[in-house]
């Protein structure tokens, strides 16, 4: 009996007070969860109202703007997943085109054919930007911070809105003299941003030639200049042959002085930093400067009879040795789309481009106004 009695008294007795407590806690928790949900939803919608999300005319979402360029065009990150290592590139989105800080370079004047791109550098090397203003250089520091490669928007299959290209390890297949135009997408222009461009139009400065002729005193390039000896070395055989040939014509005029110039030892040239010696007609220019400077240093050029015979021999070679702004161009290759390697990464998007609008301030209901993009874009 005692054991049965103990079993009858076991268990838990649900009282009115316990039901009341459970009811209050349950209802309070539900109310709290609803309040949290509403607050999170309102915060989400508010954030969407402040975010600028770009969409194309097909309602494909390109992505959310991470910043804006100097023309208030939103810029988005594109992730290039076509390589073993992923890189990001900032692309500006305007109503009818894509833009990048870097331009692309083409042969001829129509920005068609094989494009080339600069290697990543700094404002000192590319001091003038697409706007032609000193100090606004066209290099992208973001690309440089990634270590390699450089990216740029160039001419698309039909011109605008443009296509994305990436720097390759190969040198530009075009000769410097063949570069005749560039696609400067960052410029604000009507129509296509193709502009004439010639490397020969870059600023030039005279080369430092005090080290051109080797002497007993050691000669080094002054501060702010770089040695162009590696370029000069490739032309030395031609220069020495031409100097020998000309001295054979000049020495007969020196018999009256009792002095003969048997040979001239070529030293080196110096160019301002970030410049390179112009190689066109370089053999003639160095030959002229070397022989004339040798004759002047020995005082032979001060003798009228000698000068009158030597000047006609050297006159056809007379020209200045110049240094020009150096530009390192690499071959640019098309960046393929993530879902279709046969197409360019930007080819899937069709202008005009738009951004979402904020929620209606006069409405009592919260509405999500971000464009509903479909498919993957890589952004």
């Amino acid at each position: 009996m005692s054991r049965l009695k103990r079993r009858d008294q076991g268990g838990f007795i649900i009282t009115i007070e316990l039901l009341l407590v459970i009811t209050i806690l349950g209802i309070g928790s539900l109310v709290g969860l609803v309040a949290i949900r509403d607050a999170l939803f309102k915060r989400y919608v508010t954030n969407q109202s402040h975010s600028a999300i770009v969409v194309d005319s097909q309602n494909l979402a390109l992505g959310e703007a991470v910043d804006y360029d100097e023309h208030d065009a939103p810029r988005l990150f594109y992730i290039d997943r076509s390589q073993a290592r992923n890189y990001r590139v900032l692309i500006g989105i305007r109503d009818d085109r894509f833009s990048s800080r870097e331009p692309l370079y083409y042969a001829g004047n129509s920005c068609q054919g094989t494009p080339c791109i600069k290697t990543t550098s700094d404002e000192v090397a590319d001091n003038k930007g697409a706007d032609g203003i000193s100090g606004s250089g066209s290099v992208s520091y973001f690309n440089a911070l990634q270590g390699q490669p450089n990216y740029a928007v160039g001419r698309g299959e039909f011109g605008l809105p443009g296509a994305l290209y990436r720097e390759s390890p190969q040198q530009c297949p075009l000769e410097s003299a063949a570069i005749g135009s560039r696609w400067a997408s960052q410029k604000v222009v009507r129509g296509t941003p193709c502009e004439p461009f010639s490397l020969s139009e870059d600023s030039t400065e005279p080369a430092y030639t005090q080290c051109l002729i080797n002497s007993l005193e050691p000669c080094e390039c002054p501060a702010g200049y770089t040695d162009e000896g590696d370029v000069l070395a490739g032309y030395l055989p031609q220069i020495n042959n031409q100097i020998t040939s000309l001295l054979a014509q000049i020495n007969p005029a020196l018999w009256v002085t009792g002095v003969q110039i048997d040979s001239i030892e070529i030293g080196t040239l110096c160019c301002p930093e970030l410049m390179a010696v112009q190689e066109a007609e370089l053999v003639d220019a160095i030959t002229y400067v070397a022989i004339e400077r040798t004759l002047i240093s020995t005082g032979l050029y001060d003798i009228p009879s000698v000068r009158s015979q030597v000047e006609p021999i050297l006159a056809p070679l007379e020209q200045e040795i110049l240094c020009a702004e150096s530009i390192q161009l690499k071959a640019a290759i098309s960046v393929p789309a993530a879902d279709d390697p046969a197409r360019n990464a930007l080819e899937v998007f069709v202008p005009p481009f738009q951004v979402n609008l904020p929620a209606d301030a006069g409405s009592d209901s919260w509405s999500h106004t971000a464009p509903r993009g479909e498919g993957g874009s890589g952004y």
Side-chain angles (χ1 to χ4, degrees):
M1 289 293 294
S2 61
R3 294 178 63 186
L4 180 61
K5 183 176 182 180
R6 284 197 297 272
R7 282 200 301 270
D8 291 341
Q9 292 177 345
F12 187 86
I13 299 176
I14 299 176
T15 64
I16 297 299
E17 291 83 354
L18 180 59
L19 290 174
L20 183 60
V21 170
I22 292 174
T23 302
I24 293 174
L25 290 176
I27 294 175
S29 298
L30 290 175
V31 172
L33 289 174
V34 170
I36 292 173
R37 181 204 63 184
D38 291 345
L40 291 175
F41 181 72
K42 290 180 180 180
R43 176 179 174 79
Y44 174 76
V45 174
T46 301
N47 288 340
Q48 289 293 331
S49 293
H50 290 98
S51 300
I53 300 174
V54 184
V55 66
D56 76 346
S57 61
Q58 307 170 99
N59 205 33
L60 289 175
L62 280 71
E64 182 179 341
V66 295
D67 74 345
Y68 300 85
D69 68 13
E70 63 270 31
H71 309 299
D72 286 343
R75 290 194 292 192
L76 314 179
F77 273 132
Y78 180 85
I79 300 177
D80 180 9
R81 303 187 187 278
S82 63
Q83 302 184 95
R85 182 177 180 182
N86 297 334
Y87 292 96
R88 298 187 188 92
V89 55
L90 274 170
I91 299 178
I93 313 294
R94 302 182 187 173
D95 56 345
D96 65 338
R97 68 190 68 190
F98 301 105
S99 67
S100 67
R101 192 171 185 195
E102 280 283 3
L104 283 176
Y105 300 83
Y106 297 83
N109 56 8
S110 59
C111 292
Q112 296 190 32
T114 303
C116 293
I117 187 173
K118 285 183 182 180
T119 58
T120 52
S121 51
D122 53 44
E123 296 286 9
V124 178
D126 298 292
N127 194 38
K128 290 185 179 180
D131 52 8
I133 299 176
S134 179
S136 66
S138 60
V139 69
S140 169
Y141 278 115
F142 183 78
N143 292 344
L145 285 169
Q146 295 185 104
Q148 285 290 341
N150 211 4
Y151 288 84
V153 170
R155 180 185 179 89
E157 183 179 359
F158 304 105
L160 294 175
L164 182 61
Y165 290 86
R166 180 182 69 238
E167 173 191 347
S168 74
Q170 288 73 37
Q171 293 294 324
C172 174
L174 305 174
E175 295 291 337
S176 297
I179 302 295
S181 58
R182 67 178 181 180
W183 187 274
S185 60
Q186 189 74 354
K187 295 188 69 173
V188 176
V189 293
R190 184 185 298 274
T192 60
C194 183
E195 63 180 16
F197 180 84
S198 173
L199 295 178
S200 61
E201 294 177 356
D202 288 348
S203 62
T204 59
E205 291 188 22
Y208 180 83
T209 58
Q210 297 304 311
C211 297
L212 183 59
I213 303 173
N214 277 341
S215 62
L216 297 177
E217 295 286 335
C219 185
E220 295 182 356
C221 295
Y225 284 74
T226 55
D227 192 326
E228 297 293 311
D230 55 339
V231 177
L232 199 56
Y235 294 96
L236 272 181
Q238 302 174 56
I239 295 170
N240 289 331
N241 289 338
Q242 185 160 267
I243 288 177
T244 300
S245 176
L246 290 176
L247 288 179
Q249 302 177 51
I250 293 172
N251 274 329
L254 304 180
W255 279 109
V256 296
T257 66
V259 177
Q260 294 287 284
I261 302 174
D262 296 325
S263 64
I264 299 174
E265 186 180 354
I266 298 298
T268 190
L269 283 173
C270 306
C271 281
E273 290 180 351
L274 305 177
M275 285 190 165
V277 65
Q278 287 188 327
E279 300 183 44
E281 309 298 332
L282 184 60
V283 173
D284 288 348
I286 290 178
T287 301
Y288 173 83
V289 173
I291 294 178
E292 182 190 51
R293 187 158 296 171
T294 300
L295 293 172
I296 292 174
S297 65
T298 57
L300 296 173
Y301 228 40
D302 296 332
I303 302 174
S305 60
V306 172
R307 187 170 192 136
S308 63
Q309 295 183 63
V310 172
E311 281 186 339
I313 298 174
L314 295 180
L317 309 178
E318 183 178 1
Q319 53 194 301
E320 192 174 17
I321 304 174
L322 297 174
C323 300
E325 291 181 357
S326 176
I327 177 172
Q328 298 294 323
L329 291 180
K330 293 293 186 72
I333 58 178
S334 174
V335 176
D339 54 353
D340 186 358
R343 306 177 71 184
N344 186 271
L346 304 182
E347 189 179 344
V348 298
F349 302 108
V350 180
F353 305 111
Q354 303 178 67
V355 295
N356 63 308
L357 297 176
D360 186 1
S363 173
D364 293 332
S365 61
W366 295 93
S367 59
H368 180 215
T369 60
R372 288 192 290 257
E374 299 173 358
S377 67
Y379 283 93

